[in-house]
Coordinates of all heavy atoms in Angstrom, one line a residue:
C11 N 220.3 103.1 140.9 CA 219.4 103.8 140.1 C 219.1 105.2 140.7 O 219.0 106.2 139.9 CB 218.1 103.1 139.9 SG 218.2 101.7 138.8
R12 N 218.9 105.3 142.0 CA 218.7 106.6 142.6 C 219.9 107.5 142.4 O 219.8 108.7 142.1 CB 218.4 106.4 144.1 CG 217.1 105.9 144.4 CD 216.8 105.7 145.9 NE 215.5 105.4 146.2 CZ 215.1 104.6 147.2 NH1 216.0 104.2 148.1 NH2 213.8 104.3 147.4
A13 N 221.1 107.0 142.6 CA 222.3 107.8 142.4 C 222.5 108.2 140.9 O 222.9 109.3 140.7 CB 223.6 107.0 142.8
A14 N 222.2 107.3 140.0 CA 222.2 107.7 138.6 C 221.2 108.8 138.3 O 221.6 109.7 137.5 CB 222.0 106.5 137.7
A15 N 220.0 108.7 138.8 CA 219.0 109.8 138.6 C 219.6 111.1 139.1 O 219.4 112.1 138.4 CB 217.7 109.4 139.3
A16 N 220.2 111.1 140.2 CA 220.8 112.4 140.7 C 221.9 112.9 139.8 O 221.9 114.1 139.5 CB 221.4 112.2 142.1
L17 N 222.6 112.0 139.1 CA 223.6 112.5 138.2 C 223.0 113.0 136.9 O 223.6 113.9 136.3 CB 224.6 111.3 137.8 CG 225.6 111.0 138.9 CD1 226.4 109.7 138.5 CD2 226.5 112.1 139.3
L18 N 221.8 112.5 136.5 CA 221.2 113.0 135.3 C 220.9 114.5 135.5 O 220.9 115.3 134.6 CB 219.9 112.3 135.1 CG 220.0 110.8 134.6 CD1 218.6 110.2 134.5 CD2 220.7 110.7 133.3
D19 N 220.6 114.9 136.8 CA 220.4 116.4 137.0 C 221.6 117.2 136.9 O 221.5 118.4 136.8 CB 219.8 116.5 138.4 CG 219.2 117.9 138.7 OD1 218.4 118.4 137.8 OD2 219.4 118.5 139.7
S20 N 222.8 116.6 136.8 CA 224.0 117.4 136.7 C 224.5 117.4 135.2 O 225.6 117.9 135.0 CB 225.1 116.9 137.6 OG 225.5 115.6 137.3
L21 N 223.8 116.8 134.3 CA 224.3 116.8 132.9 C 224.3 118.2 132.4 O 223.3 119.0 132.7 CB 223.4 115.9 132.0 CG 223.5 114.4 132.3 CD1 222.4 113.7 131.4 CD2 224.8 113.9 131.9
P22 N 225.3 118.6 131.6 CA 225.4 120.0 131.2 C 224.1 120.4 130.3 O 223.7 119.6 129.4 CB 226.6 120.0 130.3 CG 227.4 118.8 130.8 CD 226.4 117.8 131.3
G23 N 223.5 121.5 130.7 CA 222.4 122.0 130.0 C 221.1 121.3 130.2 O 220.1 121.5 129.5
L24 N 221.0 120.4 131.2 CA 219.8 119.6 131.5 C 219.5 119.7 133.0 O 220.3 119.7 133.8 CB 219.9 118.2 131.0 CG 219.9 118.0 129.5 CD1 220.1 116.5 129.2 CD2 218.7 118.5 128.8
R25 N 218.2 119.6 133.2 CA 217.7 119.5 134.6 C 216.7 118.4 134.7 O 215.9 118.2 133.9 CB 217.1 120.8 135.1 CG 218.1 121.9 135.2 CD 219.1 121.6 136.3 NE 220.3 122.4 136.2 CZ 221.5 122.0 135.7 NH1 221.6 120.8 135.3 NH2 222.5 122.8 135.6
L26 N 216.8 117.7 135.9 CA 215.8 116.6 136.2 C 214.5 117.3 136.5 O 214.4 118.1 137.5 CB 216.3 115.7 137.3 CG 215.4 114.6 137.8 CD1 215.2 113.6 136.7 CD2 216.0 113.9 139.0
R27 N 213.4 117.1 135.8 CA 212.1 117.7 136.0 C 211.2 116.7 136.8 O 210.3 117.2 137.5 CB 211.5 118.1 134.7 CG 212.3 119.2 134.0 CD 212.4 120.5 134.8 NE 213.1 121.5 134.0 CZ 213.8 122.4 134.5 NH1 213.9 122.6 135.8 NH2 214.4 123.3 133.7
A28 N 211.3 115.4 136.6 CA 210.4 114.5 137.2 C 211.1 113.1 137.2 O 211.9 112.8 136.3 CB 209.1 114.4 136.5
L29 N 210.8 112.3 138.3 CA 211.3 111.0 138.4 C 210.2 110.1 138.8 O 209.4 110.4 139.7 CB 212.5 110.9 139.5 CG 213.2 109.6 139.7 CD1 213.9 109.2 138.4 CD2 214.2 109.7 140.8
S30 N 210.0 109.0 138.1 CA 208.9 108.1 138.4 C 209.1 107.4 139.7 O 210.2 107.4 140.3 CB 208.9 107.0 137.2 OG 209.9 106.1 137.3
R31 N 208.1 106.6 140.0 CA 208.2 105.6 141.1 C 209.2 104.6 140.6 O 209.4 104.5 139.4 CB 206.8 105.0 141.4 CG 205.8 106.0 141.9 CD 204.5 105.3 142.1 NE 203.9 105.1 140.8 CZ 202.7 104.5 140.6 NH1 202.0 104.1 141.6 NH2 202.3 104.3 139.4
W32 N 209.7 103.8 141.5 CA 210.5 102.6 141.1 C 209.7 101.4 141.0 O 208.8 101.2 141.8 CB 211.7 102.5 142.1 CG 212.6 103.7 142.1 CD1 212.7 104.6 143.1 CD2 213.5 104.1 141.1 NE1 213.6 105.6 142.8 CE2 214.1 105.3 141.6 CE3 213.9 103.6 139.9 CZ2 215.1 105.9 140.8 CZ3 214.8 104.2 139.1 CH2 215.4 105.4 139.6
Y33 N 210.0 100.6 140.0 CA 209.3 99.4 139.7 C 210.3 98.2 139.7 O 211.4 98.3 139.3 CB 208.7 99.4 138.3 CG 207.6 100.4 138.2 CD1 207.8 101.8 138.1 CD2 206.2 100.0 138.2 CE1 206.8 102.7 138.0 CE2 205.2 100.9 138.1 CZ 205.5 102.3 138.0 OH 204.5 103.2 137.9
A34 N 209.8 97.1 140.2 CA 210.5 95.8 140.2 C 209.9 95.0 139.0 O 208.7 95.0 138.8 CB 210.3 95.0 141.4
T35 N 210.8 94.5 138.1 CA 210.3 93.8 137.0 C 211.2 92.6 136.7 O 212.4 92.5 136.9 CB 210.4 94.7 135.7 OG1 211.8 95.1 135.5 CG2 209.6 95.9 135.8
A36 N 210.5 91.5 136.3 CA 211.1 90.3 135.9 C 212.0 90.5 134.7 O 211.7 91.3 133.8 CB 210.1 89.2 135.7
P37 N 213.1 89.8 134.6 CA 214.0 89.9 133.4 C 213.2 89.6 132.1 O 212.4 88.7 132.1 CB 215.1 89.0 133.7 CG 215.1 88.6 135.1 CD 213.7 88.8 135.6
V38 N 213.5 90.3 131.0 CA 213.0 90.0 129.7 C 214.2 89.8 128.8 O 215.0 90.7 128.7 CB 212.1 91.2 129.2 CG1 211.6 90.9 127.8 CG2 210.9 91.4 130.1
P39 N 214.4 88.6 128.2 CA 213.6 87.4 128.3 C 213.8 86.8 129.7 O 214.8 87.0 130.3 CB 214.1 86.5 127.2 CG 215.5 86.9 127.0 CD 215.5 88.4 127.3
P40 N 212.8 86.0 130.2 CA 213.0 85.3 131.5 C 214.2 84.5 131.5 O 214.5 83.7 130.6 CB 211.7 84.5 131.6 CG 210.8 85.0 130.6 CD 211.6 85.6 129.5
T41 N 215.0 84.7 132.6 CA 216.2 83.9 132.7 C 216.3 83.4 134.2 O 216.4 84.2 135.1 CB 217.4 84.8 132.5 OG1 217.3 85.5 131.2 CG2 218.7 84.1 132.5
P42 N 216.2 82.1 134.3 CA 216.3 81.5 135.7 C 217.5 82.0 136.5 O 218.6 82.0 135.9 CB 216.3 80.0 135.4 CG 215.8 79.8 134.1 CD 216.1 81.0 133.3
G43 N 217.3 82.3 137.7 CA 218.3 82.7 138.6 C 218.8 84.2 138.5 O 219.6 84.6 139.2
T44 N 218.2 84.9 137.5 CA 218.6 86.3 137.3 C 217.7 87.2 138.2 O 216.5 87.0 138.2 CB 218.4 86.7 135.8 OG1 219.2 85.9 135.0 CG2 218.8 88.2 135.6
P45 N 218.3 88.1 139.0 CA 217.5 88.9 139.9 C 216.5 89.8 139.1 O 216.8 90.2 137.9 CB 218.5 89.7 140.7 CG 219.8 89.4 140.2 CD 219.7 88.3 139.1
D46 N 215.4 90.2 139.7 CA 214.5 91.2 139.1 C 215.3 92.5 138.9 O 216.2 92.8 139.6 CB 213.3 91.5 140.1 CG 212.3 90.4 140.0 OD1 212.4 89.5 139.1 OD2 211.3 90.4 140.8

């Protein structure tokens, strides 16, 4: 995710202006054995 965010800043005609904190989230829908 961090590497992808850096690539967003290199999209033609766009600049990264802000990046949120990172969040861990349970899968939706809940799936046993699936990582957060």
Side-chain angles (χ1 to χ4, degrees):
C11 286
R12 285 180 174 150
L17 286 176
L18 292 175
D19 193 45
S20 66
L21 290 174
L24 292 175
R25 291 296 159 257
L26 179 65
R27 300 293 184 208
L29 184 61
S30 71
R31 296 174 289 178
W32 296 107
Y33 292 77
T35 59
V38 176
T41 309
T44 300
D46 282 353

